[in-house]
Amino acid sequence: MPGLAEEAEARPVPSEKERWAVLLRLSWPGAVELTLGSLIGMATMILVSSIGKEAVSAVGITGQPIMIPWVAIQAFSVGGMALVARAIGQGSPNTARNACEQTMLLSLIFSITAGLVLYIWGGRILLWMGATPDYYGMAELYMRYSAVGVVFQSISSTVACMLRSAGQTRLSMYFSVAANIANVLLGLVLINGFWFIPALGILGAAIAQLAAKIIGCAMSLYILFTYAHLPVCPSLKGIFKPDIAMIKRICRIGTSSAAEQLALRVGLIAFTIFVINLGTAEYAAHNIAGTLHGFVVNFGSAVGMALVSVVGQNLGAKRPDIAEQYFSTSIKMCVILSVFLSVPLLVFPGQIALLFTREPDVIANIVTALRILAFFTTTQILQISICGGLRGGGDTKWPLISTMTGVLGGRMVLGYVFIVLFGWGIAGAWLCWLVDQTARAVIIYFRYRGGKWKTIKI
């Protein structure tokens, strides 16, 4: 999306049709990227399921601690995205480029540190979380490969965020799609074996996901450094030359996002411990349903990616009226999408479960989870997309408040009540999720309606 500064004052508010066109143009690459990622994730989960429910649990329990580094990495990216989008809207490409360089520097330093910590102490973290002997060995092995992958994934993720904030969602789609395809193809060969390659089981899955992250990282850097016309195209010298003033701005904006992600990770780890204690079958079902959940909410994330660009750039161009109209259109888009996605979850949950497993106890739990998911699909897609727009404008405080309310209250407190005290099993776990997302959606919607995001200085 080009800079808006030159024609900001004279430009009329786009029509409803024009806003739909812009949002669709910016969000479809993100939707393709995320949907393919989820489909690949589901395919990978199917491959892992062929090893057994212990392997599913091993991959699932590793997912929570491996996400801890993203508390800081996503905070840096949120700060960088807001500054890049605002700078492009103001017609300041040098500022946009500098923000990109410093965001990459911060992400690189932190991801290397976090990767080392997880590689060395990841096994102890898994034991603390409650990994049981039947899958602990597999989980520890998977953790080591995932820890190395943190560095490569953080680079590609940061590059993707910078491109999206500049409106270049199609470019970020390319390397993400390539990495996901590589993941499933390598997994297919390495997990089950092919020709002279032996079946490596969980080791094959670990090698496949690491190799895919390396491929995605290499492609993202190639795109970033070879497309010289990009407003976020950095220089190597700039990346490794700290700009303290810009770093402070990035961190100031990202502080709330860091606190939000920390609250989210703490809440999810505690929640995961509750679910693990239900048993291996329940935890395997929870992970499989969670993979499907990720597929459903991807569409909200794609719209949120588009809003990061249009809201940030229009605020930079001093046109909050246009930014608000894009918010309004995005809400309509999300409601339509969520209704469409909810129907299969209600009508065909058993058939969907059969794609992943043939174990009756796991299938029964998946069906319960998917039916509950259908009832909070709309609220989650809405809150994810609106949060994207708020962050694009530099408003990171209220996404923090909504997350703390939903996760710490809905997941941790109600998780203990519904799962431990009431003994509602997988149904109790997913009812907690419903309360969490509903509370977050209400808070975020009223923040958007209040309009204070229009006047935030970054």
Side-chain angles (χ1 to χ4, degrees), residues 95-117:
T95 302
R97 186 174 300 110
N98 188 27
C100 174
E101 292 168 345
Q102 300 307 304
T103 302
M104 291 188 68
L105 173 62
L106 289 169
S107 296
L108 187 60
I109 292 172
F110 189 83
S111 64
I112 292 173
T113 304
L116 286 171
V117 170

Side-chain angles (χ1 to χ4, degrees), residues 292 343-355 363 366-371:
L292 291 162
V343 173
L345 300 174
L346 280 173
V347 180
F348 306 113
Q351 290 83 344
I352 294 172
L354 284 170
L355 295 173
I363 290 173
I366 292 173
V367 168
T368 298
L370 294 185
R371 284 179 172 157

Side-chain angles (χ1 to χ4, degrees), residues 197-353:
I197 300 174
L200 299 177
I202 194 70
L203 175 60
I207 294 173
Q209 58 90 19
L210 175 57
K213 290 172 184 175
I214 294 173
I215 291 170
C217 175
M219 288 188 64
S220 70
L221 291 175
Y222 175 80
I223 289 173
L224 187 65
F225 283 101
T226 57
Y227 284 64
H229 67 281
L230 292 174
V232 291
C233 181
S235 66
L236 280 175
K237 181 179 178 181
I239 291 176
F240 293 102
K241 183 180 179 181
D243 182 334
I244 302 304
M246 179 59 73
I247 287 174
K248 286 181 178 179
R249 292 180 70 188
I250 292 170
C251 292
R252 184 175 67 250
I253 298 169
T255 298
S256 294
S257 181
E260 176 192 353
Q261 290 300 314
L262 181 61
L264 180 62
R265 292 303 134 206
V266 170
L268 289 182
I269 288 175
F271 183 70
T272 299
I273 293 172
F274 293 149
V275 180
I276 288 172
N277 289 330
L278 291 174
T280 301
E282 288 81 359
Y283 187 50
H286 178 73
N287 284 310
I288 292 171
T291 300
L292 291 162
H293 162 266
F295 169 79
V296 168
V297 301
N298 281 340
F299 296 94
S301 299
V303 176
M305 290 176 189
L307 284 177
V308 166
S309 177
V310 295
V311 171
Q313 291 190 31
N314 277 291
L315 290 179
K318 302 187 186 305
R319 292 303 302 268
D321 55 327
I322 296 179
E324 184 167 20
Q325 290 299 316
Y326 275 110
F327 261 121
S328 178
T329 301
S330 72
I331 289 173
K332 297 174 186 176
M333 184 181 293
C334 288
V335 170
I336 293 171
L337 282 170
S338 63
V339 171
F340 175 76
L341 291 167
S342 297
V343 173
L345 300 174
L346 280 173
V347 180
F348 306 113
Q351 290 83 344
I352 294 172

Side-chain angles (χ1 to χ4, degrees), residues 26-37 298-299 301-303 305:
L26 292 175
S27 61
W28 79 257
V32 170
E33 173 187 341
L34 295 171
T35 300
L36 181 59
N298 281 340
F299 296 94
S301 299
V303 176
M305 290 176 189

Side-chain angles (χ1 to χ4, degrees), residues 40-124:
I40 296 299
M42 286 190 281
T44 302
M45 186 64 73
I46 291 171
L47 291 172
V48 172
S49 297
S50 67
I51 306 171
K53 59 189 176 186
E54 293 81 10
V56 174
S57 296
V59 173
I61 196 172
T62 303
Q64 291 306 321
I66 213 68
M67 289 300 293
I68 292 175
W70 300 103
V71 170
I73 293 169
Q74 287 187 15
F76 301 145
S77 295
V78 167
M81 288 170 69
L83 288 167
V84 166
R86 191 73 67 97
I88 292 173
Q90 293 169 343
S92 303
N94 290 335
T95 302
R97 186 174 300 110
N98 188 27
C100 174
E101 292 168 345
Q102 300 307 304
T103 302
M104 291 188 68
L105 173 62
L106 289 169
S107 296
L108 187 60
I109 292 172
F110 189 83
S111 64
I112 292 173
T113 304
L116 286 171
V117 170
L118 288 169
Y119 187 88
I120 296 170
W121 289 292
R124 297 181 185 179

Side-chain angles (χ1 to χ4, degrees), residues 101 136 145 166 183 244 260 323 337 412 431:
E101 292 168 345
Y136 170 75
Y145 282 83
N183 190 10
I244 302 304
E260 176 192 353
L337 282 170
M412 290 184 70
L431 284 172

